[in-house]
Amino acid sequence: MNAPIIEVNLIFWVVLGVWMGEDPLQGDFPEVIEEFLQHGNMKCIAFNRRGTLLAAGCANGSCVIWDFETRGVAKELRDKACVAPITSVCWSKYGHYLLASATDKSLTLWNVVNGEKITHITLQQTTLHARLHPGSCTPSLCLACPLSSAPILVDLNNGTSTVLPVSVTDNTNGNAVSHPRNKFSDSSLPFTPTAATFDKHGDLIYLGNSKGEILIVDPKNVRVNALIPIPGGSVVKDIVFSRNGQYLLTNSNDRVIRVYESLLPTKGAAKELEIMSDTDDKFPRIEKLKEVGTKCLRLSREFQDAVTKIQWKAPCFSGDGEWVIGASASKGEHKLYIWDRAGHLVKILEGPKEALIDLAWHPLRPLVVSVSVAGLVYIWAKDYTENWSAFAPDFKELEENEEYVEREDEFDLMPESEKVKELVINQDEEVDILTVEKDSAFSDSDASQEELCFLPAVPFPDPEQQDKCLGSSLKLGDSNHTGSPFSVEAAQNGQAILPASSPLEVVGNSTPEEAVGTAGMKRKRKPSAKGMELQAEKGRKPQTKNKSSGKTSKPRSRSGDGIDTNGSVLEDDVTDEYL
Amino acid sequence: MDAAASMAAAPQPYVLQETLTSHNRAVSAVKFSPDGCLLASASGDKTLRVWSTADFSLLTELSGHEEGISDLSFSSDGRYLCSASDDLTVRIWDLAAATAVKTLSGHSNYVFCCAYNPQSNMIASGSFDETVRVWEVKSGKCLRVLPAHSEPVTAVDFNYNGSLIVSSSYDGLCRIWDSATGHCMKTLIDDDSPPVSFVKFSPNGKFVLAATLDNTLRLWHFSAGKFLKTYTGHANSRFCIPATFSVTNGKYIVSGSEDNCVYLWDLQTRKIVQKLEGHMDGVIAVSCHPSENMIASGALGNDKTVKVWVQRTEEQMED
């Protein structure tokens, strides 16, 4: 019965693959661990909108922001008041703010650019997942999901919270257990583990409750407007939207991940929903909500591991929504399962023997980042095979041997058709060197608001170059103070030394000393302190004043190994005056 | 009404405004800062000099390199400069403090060219050791070594969003690299492959301007892999002379030349619109101001000056 469907799928993929010049069985999903990041004990991660920065919440209450392009620490957000382990981090839409929730029941909103804390709110319970409203540039609303009670909408400006309804009963009008605008006053909280998320623009909130139902709630009036029962009716552990807002997945206690297609428009969904749910009051409330629900979500696929019936953890979509990834929640396992949207399991990635605690897919690239219980962040990427035709344009890569068919007159003594093909280039055509093409991956970029893609990289001064050279006084204006003391400290403490026995397989052409593809080589973040001292001794730099006041272990640029021995350019006499 | 205004094709000519004599040896590179307030020059006398563009006074002199400097690049906020030198290093200078803050070592031969990416968190450098290295600004760590060419690398440039790096070399090739992964994306090669002495992205990143040592400049549409425009008339067969786009008042290609002039071509028609004369030796450095109609040029050892040329308006021209 499934055969025709599979055939069609296969043909589709082969055609697609041929068109794109790719192997149809390969896809845009990662395959191997490329690298890992280490800085403190990281617990949870989140990419910013463009995937240029990665925020990680640590066990010591601080948040580390990684420059994902250079894989270095860009900033560290620290405050004396925030010392409890972070449970989740969430970026604002344009990357200016970061919301962190911690185990001491607090929520902290940080200003990423200057590294300062904006607000710090303490709630009734510890939040497991906190999400900032995705629609606004300066969000004041956030959704906080505690471990086992109803999610709350928190207003970050005044600290008030609204409990969201987690179930619908017939004799109420939908506002089941809410006390709008008040703190949750009931001391004995009902055990209602619920997962919740905003839709793409924050118009609606989708809840997955402990009865196995998806409720669509309008945050403005805290009203349940639709209800979709999940087959199986088991507790919903996670509910996640794809980046384009068209697909929703739920992870239930019955070990099944379900993908739904969203039938509502991505923008202005709340209005549509209100129209649909307001039509008539003839039917009982629940029936009405279910009816509306069928117009909002449609079950598309179910993913499960039929053999071992694994519980899933941290499922999410790829950046383009084509793939679904879920981690195995089995004890001590670091396994990632990737499915395509048609439902086929395409890959199982196995990491080191450290349990996985969080997972995120890069918004644009086929990269996945996973956090292990050891506090390390692993970066999974595609296994790169060199594209040789890029190195010489008239090379053509063949998948398999092709039989060569010579031209009719190719071996004639006087071939007729052999002539140099003159490339006819019309040099009078207009050339446009200024217009930049819009990035299609970010369709709703609001040009008026500037997005924070990078944090300014201030070079960390080399220890020797503290001397002032001869120079006239500068007439430039006041230079801004470079960075908060925290970020300086971060660079010092960052990227600790690799443990020697790390059972990793790292492939990449990113090691400075060698060229492409050195399999099995670890990507070290920096050499050990002893190694650097040895390098310094080789007399790399002439002006090594050795003003080392206990600073010899500071990270420095790594020199290639072979160069120093022929350091003939380095002069022997080092003077204070440089001219 | 104005005869000049009605002739859209003929621009106001550039005239010499300033001659900055400060260097003791040939000037190898000149660049305007991204905000246009500063002009920096690098020289074989191992120093960099930074001038104000308002009054062309000398603001700073940066010394520290042990050998002559071949190239320089400003960071996007104009606070830092990186310079490539024959002493095998790239140095990052803090302009406010007037000192070098970092030395990037790793190349095994003269470093010939360097460029900041627009995000200014990475620097690319090309060297006579035939590789391109990508460095992290913050820590000075070498992130990648690209096996770029089989001859000295003469130029490196990032595109407008920092996602691609283009490199050129005496081996006749221009190669385009993905800066995030270091993978080669494309190689541009012509039928005969004269050494490519300079390469640069167009402002929108779609085209690549390449100078070759057969007195020719070509504008390549690199994703198509073929060139669309050729600019000739100048002399360039020995030195690596940069060329650039002038887009502040009409679209032109500006390049130095070994016959001591600065050449300006109209981008579309490829005709020479002006030759700026005044230097006493080959002009091997040019740069265009980001917003004003100003060109800076630097010349070889018999001249050693930096000259600034501006386009005067009608009122300022004395007929």
Side-chain angles (χ1 to χ4, degrees), chain A residues 35 100 103 247 312 376 455-456 550 579:
Chain A
E35 201 176 330
T103 56
Y247 297 97
W312 303 109
L376 301 172
L455 290 172
L579 250 198

Side-chain angles (χ1 to χ4, degrees), chain B residues 44-220:
Chain B
D45 66 5
K46 313 176 197 175
T47 67
L48 294 146
R49 277 159 221 253
V50 184
W51 320 78
S52 148
T53 49
D55 57 1
F56 296 104
S57 54
L58 175 64
L59 295 177
T60 337
E61 189 184 298
L62 304 170
S63 1
H65 272 300
E66 288 134 35
E67 295 293 334
I69 304 172
S70 303
D71 198 9
L72 73 100
S73 175
F74 270 98
S75 66
S76 301
D77 56 9
R79 287 170 56 194
Y80 298 95
L81 261 188
C82 70
S83 59
S85 163
D86 282 0
D87 66 2
L88 317 190
T89 66
V90 175
R91 272 168 220 240
I92 304 180
W93 308 83
D94 179 337
L95 292 177
T99 66
V101 289
K102 281 204 106 49
T103 300
L104 312 175
S105 311
H107 278 296
S108 50
N109 208 324
Y110 309 138
V111 190
F112 199 69
C113 45
C114 60
Y116 258 99
N117 69 342
Q119 293 85 6
S120 296
N121 59 355
M122 298 204 284
I123 291 175
S125 63
S127 160
F128 267 54
D129 67 5
E130 302 167 9
T131 64
V132 171
R133 276 180 188 248
V134 181
W135 312 84
E136 183 192 7
V137 166
K138 201 165 176 129
S139 61
K141 197 190 324 264
C142 180
L143 296 175
R144 268 178 230 294
V145 180
L146 307 180
H149 291 280
S150 50
E151 290 279 337
V153 179
T154 51
V156 281
D157 190 32
F158 281 93
N159 66 343
Y160 72 99
N161 64 5
S163 59
L164 297 174
I165 299 174
V166 64
S167 65
S168 65
S169 164
Y170 282 153
D171 64 4
L173 306 174
C174 295
R175 287 209 162 114
I176 300 186
W177 311 83
D178 178 304
S179 54
T181 56
H183 301 155
C184 179
M185 296 279 108
K186 194 109 191 158
T187 302
L188 302 174
I189 185 170
D190 199 14
D191 279 334
D192 31 77
S193 45
V196 186
S197 54
F198 181 75
V199 80
K200 185 189 172 100
F201 274 109
S202 65
N204 64 358
K206 281 212 277 211
F207 304 95
V208 158
L209 181 65
T212 43
L213 291 185
D214 58 352
N215 313 304
T216 316
L217 278 161
R218 285 190 183 83
L219 188 69
W220 289 79

Side-chain angles (χ1 to χ4, degrees), chain A residues 128-129 131 145-149 151 191-197 206-214 230 233-240 249-258 309-316 326-330:
Chain A
L128 272 197
H129 285 115
R131 287 194 175 87
C145 303
L147 171 61
S148 52
S149 45
F191 186 74
T192 49
T194 312
T197 181
Y206 286 67
L207 293 170
N209 65 13
S210 50
K211 294 194 276 186
E213 296 164 338
I214 301 177
I230 302 177
S234 54
V235 179
V236 176
K237 299 194 292 183
D238 301 283
I239 186 165
V240 180
L249 69 76
T250 58
N251 177 20
S252 309
N253 223 17
D254 63 354
R255 302 143 203 264
V256 179
I257 296 176
R258 291 178 177 85
K309 290 266 180 223
I310 306 177
Q311 283 278 1
W312 303 109
K313 193 177 198 174
C316 61
S328 153
S330 307

